[in-house]
Amino acid sequence: MSTPSRRPDVPSSPQENVRARLTLARKWSYRLLGTVAIPMGSEDLDQELSGRLDALCTMLHEEPFTTAPVERAGADLAALGHLGQFGLRCTTEVLGKGLLALPEFQPVERYAERIALAIGALGCGFTAANTESVLAQQESMQKSLLKAVRDANWNLKESEARYNEVVTSSASGVLIVDLEGRLLRVNAAVADILGRTAEELTGVPLLDLIVPGFAEMLREAMEELLSGAAERIRQSQRMLRKDGEVARLTLTASLLRGADDEPSHFVVVVEDGTELALLQGELKRQALHDVLTGLPNRQFFTTQLETVLRKADPEHGITIFHLDLDAFGMVCNSFGGRVAERLLQHVAQRLRVVMAGEKAMIARFDGDEFGVLVENTATTPGVGAIMKSINDDLLEPTYVDGHGLAVSVSAGVVHRPSADAEPLDLLRAADTALRRAKVRRRGQWEVFHAEQDAEERRDHAVAVKMPGAWENGEITVRYRPIVRLADGQVGGVEAALHWDRPGFEALDHDRCAGLAEATGLILPLGEWLLRVAGGSGVGGGRRD
């Protein structure tokens, strides 16, 4: 989804934020009133949802951001009315798109992950509260059923009336099962869930309706009810529809006893969770994918990397590419966020096309960075050939809002790593190789070498110790004479750095200067040398 064009460094005004929130709240209210039954008028619901949206936006701006308050907000939302799964779906659709379009959450890359997590947390909180409500309703209904059956010995007609009132009109499926496991009576909700008529279900063994592999679990649970080991059982089940499809259900069963306290029947209540399971799956997918491009995000890429690494072909292994678009900042600064976003979508699409012939996963990491994970085979091209294919494809101009744009990518590559390597270490290695590649001109790539990395890390470890060594007096200045060629006389002295490292080899001036430049310490050291040289009455390279 594209967001309005706005420079990332220009914040939205409070008035603009208020208007945008109010518009989104009204849209949310309008959609809910057209989807579910809510005991509120349009104006009251607009005001109610506007307050809830303000609270949600405040949570999204909190630092540090946590999902616990959002989950509580989702639980509160369940009490608003009879929203159910359709109200939750409507809410996640409206907020999932609407929050990303609010001016206060621009640029979208900064808030996309936070908003995706918030939508997931909102759904989790709502689902938990809704489930508790369903359980409470089921508990109440089962108590009513038990009372109706106990009263049947005194007044059969009254018992039948209560059964019809409670069960027949229930949205949950209710089955009366004899002790042999055959269905004696079912309500219309069960028939709708399984796509069969009540007459077709009557007399059928309950276990025959259960998907193979799940029947034994239900049989053992019903035996526990008969033996008195459990008063009620609740489990996730799979039942077969008439068309052969599988219905995902939550099944709750209890045992009915007669006036003599002997077991008489089972009461089984089923709640169809197919739609809710699909919705939860979609929320999970959104949490693991990039909103803009639809590609897996870094979290999903890391998890998949760990799996693929362990099962990779020992001979060919895997290859990890960390890609970075060259000069992407120029596109953002020149044409704005909308063009930049569409360019990122174009790059994602072209990467899919280029890698279509390989067993590869493409992900978007952050900003203009992408990751590619290739499971190598005997026919997989070399690293150079893959990078050439990617850059040749991306260098073909594409037109975005009338602008003909072409990009190249630089890459850090980890080729055939050990199966015992840690995914986070491999990603760090690819990032290190990428930084080396970007030192040169555009469109370059570099393969990670452990020996080179170890040498750099040793240099970095020495470099970061320089400030402390300087403070402790380990780094000193030494003077070297400057001799005039004309007469062989000393014309001045040159101040040079010398680092005596206890337990290690001493470092000369050139080495010290190189390390200081890598850490940004070169300017303070240069000023110090000038003060030392000035105080001694001589200057480095100057003649008296």
Side-chain angles (χ1 to χ4, degrees):
M1 164 181 170
S2 297
T3 56
S5 299
R6 177 181 292 279
R7 287 180 54 191
D9 57 340
V10 179
S12 57
S13 67
Q15 294 82 0
E16 185 180 2
N17 292 340
V18 170
R19 288 194 300 269
R21 288 187 186 181
L22 183 58
T23 300
L24 179 57
R26 288 174 176 170
K27 180 179 180 181
W28 186 10
S29 172
Y30 176 80
R31 289 286 301 278
L32 279 181
L33 286 174
T35 304
V36 295
I38 298 179
M40 283 187 183
S42 176
E43 293 183 0
D44 291 339
L45 186 59
D46 286 352
Q47 185 176 1
E48 174 70 19
L49 294 184
S50 180
R52 293 176 184 268
L53 180 60
D54 288 341
L56 179 59
C57 290
T58 300
M59 297 173 195
L60 287 170
H61 286 298
E62 287 290 338
E63 295 293 344
F65 171 73
T66 61
T67 58
V70 185
E71 287 191 23
R72 291 194 291 270
D76 292 341
L77 185 63
L80 183 62
H82 305 290
L83 270 64
Q85 64 191 41
F86 298 105
L88 177 58
R89 178 187 295 170
C90 173
T91 295
T92 55
E93 287 178 355
V94 172
L95 296 184
K97 297 176 182 178
L99 288 173
L100 291 172
L102 290 179
E104 63 188 284
F105 296 125
Q106 305 305 317
V108 71
E109 294 88 351
R110 185 181 304 167
Y111 294 93
E113 181 178 0
R114 182 174 291 195
I115 290 174
L117 292 173
I119 294 298
L122 193 73
C124 289
F126 180 93
T127 302
N130 196 51
T131 300
E132 291 180 4
S133 175
V134 170
L135 287 175
Q137 293 176 9
Q138 291 180 352
E139 182 76 16
S140 176
M141 183 174 59
Q142 288 185 30
K143 289 180 179 179
S144 298
L145 287 171
L146 289 171
K147 186 177 186 303
V149 173
R150 285 195 301 267
D151 292 345
N153 292 324
W154 305 98
N155 193 327
L156 181 58
K157 289 185 178 181
E158 183 181 352
S159 175
E160 288 292 333
R162 289 181 179 178
Y163 175 85
N164 290 333
E165 180 181 355
V166 176
V167 176
T168 305
S169 61
S170 173
S172 299
V174 179
L175 308 92
I176 303 298
V177 186
D178 66 18
L179 298 182
E180 300 299 322
R182 295 185 178 274
L183 303 184
L184 297 179
R185 191 170 181 180
V186 300
N187 68 349
V190 173
D192 291 340
I193 291 173
L194 299 181
R196 306 168 188 264
T197 65
E199 291 74 16
E200 289 176 332
L201 291 171
T202 302
V204 175
L206 175 60
L207 295 180
D208 287 356
L209 300 174
I210 304 298
V211 172
F214 289 84
E216 186 62 30
M217 178 174 63
L218 180 57
R219 178 187 290 108
E220 293 176 356
M222 296 180 74
E223 289 175 355
E224 290 181 2
L225 291 174
L226 278 174
S227 66
E231 294 184 0
R232 184 179 67 175
I233 58 99
R234 177 180 173 84
Q235 55 187 226
S236 297
Q237 269 295 350
R238 307 289 187 272
M239 297 184 74
L240 290 170
R241 302 182 191 270
K242 188 175 182 177
D243 58 8
E245 294 295 323
V246 175
R248 297 172 179 268
L249 307 167
T250 299
L251 181 148
T252 305
S254 57
L255 184 65
L256 290 179
R257 297 180 180 273
D260 56 359
D261 203 34
E262 290 296 319
S264 59
H265 303 88
F266 293 102
V267 176
V268 180
V269 180
V270 295
E271 184 75 20
D272 190 356
T274 304
E275 291 293 331
L276 186 58
L278 293 175
L279 180 58
Q280 290 174 334
E282 176 61 18
L283 291 174
K284 182 178 180 181
R285 189 198 70 80
Q286 291 181 10
L288 295 175
H289 285 73
D290 173 52
V291 176
L292 180 65
T293 62
L295 294 175
N297 58 18
R298 180 185 287 270
Q299 179 183 352
F300 190 10
F301 187 90
T302 305
T303 302
Q304 188 68 11
L305 172 58
E306 183 173 12
T307 302
V308 171
L309 191 62
R310 305 300 181 243
K311 66 176 185 180
D313 186 326
E315 180 179 355
H316 303 292
I318 65 172
T319 303
I320 304 162
F321 295 83
H322 187 169
L323 308 177
D324 182 83
L325 300 188
D326 297 321
F328 182 71
M330 295 175 62
V331 176
C332 295
N333 295 333
S334 301
F335 303 114
R338 183 173 182 274
V339 172
E341 288 178 357
R342 293 188 60 185
L343 180 61
L344 288 173
Q345 292 171 337
H346 167 75
V347 172
Q349 180 183 4
R350 299 316 303 168
L351 287 176
R352 289 191 187 102
V353 172
V354 172
M355 301 306 298
E358 302 298 327
K359 190 174 182 182
M361 183 179 75
I362 303 166
R364 182 187 175 202
F365 286 171
D366 300 294
D368 60 342
E369 297 182 9
F370 293 83
V372 179
L373 172 60
V374 181
E375 297 181 51
N376 298 322
T377 65
T379 60
T380 299
V383 173
I386 291 176
M387 286 303 305
K388 184 177 186 303
S389 298
I390 292 175
N391 273 321
D392 286 349
D393 190 277
L394 292 179
L395 286 171
E396 288 291 330
T398 181
Y399 287 86
V400 181
D401 289 351
H403 306 292
L405 304 178
V407 294
S408 62
V409 295
S410 299
V413 184
V414 178
H415 186 54
R416 297 181 60 185
S418 169
D420 298 329
E422 291 295 328
L424 292 179
D425 291 338
L426 296 180
L427 292 178
R428 185 199 65 80
D431 181 68
T432 299
L434 171 63
R435 283 188 281 106
R436 294 198 197 110
K438 289 182 73 68
V439 171
R440 297 175 287 170
R441 59 188 179 88
R442 297 179 182 180
Q444 301 301 300
W445 57 273
E446 184 160 334
V447 176
F448 175 81
H449 297 288
E451 298 80 6
Q452 182 180 3
D453 181 61
E455 182 179 347
E456 283 190 359
R457 294 174 74 173
R458 285 194 297 269
D459 287 347
H460 294 166
V462 174
V464 297
K465 293 179 180 178
M466 285 196 75
W470 183 10
E471 189 72 21
N472 295 332
E474 295 178 13
I475 300 178
T476 58
V477 63
R478 295 186 176 183
Y479 299 100
R480 296 183 295 202
I482 298 176
V483 179
R484 291 193 294 263
L485 294 178
D487 55 10
Q489 298 297 315
V490 175
V493 294
E494 180 183 43
L497 296 172
H498 184 83
W499 185 357
D500 285 316
R501 298 190 300 157
F504 297 94
E505 180 183 359
L507 301 183
D508 60 15
H509 176 82
D510 291 339
R511 186 76 170 115
C512 289
L515 293 173
E517 185 174 6
T519 60
L521 196 62
I522 188 69
L523 291 178
L525 281 177
E527 293 174 358
W528 181 47
L529 285 175
L530 288 174
R531 288 199 305 269
V532 172
S536 63
V538 294
R542 296 184 301 170
R543 298 179 185 275
D544 291 338

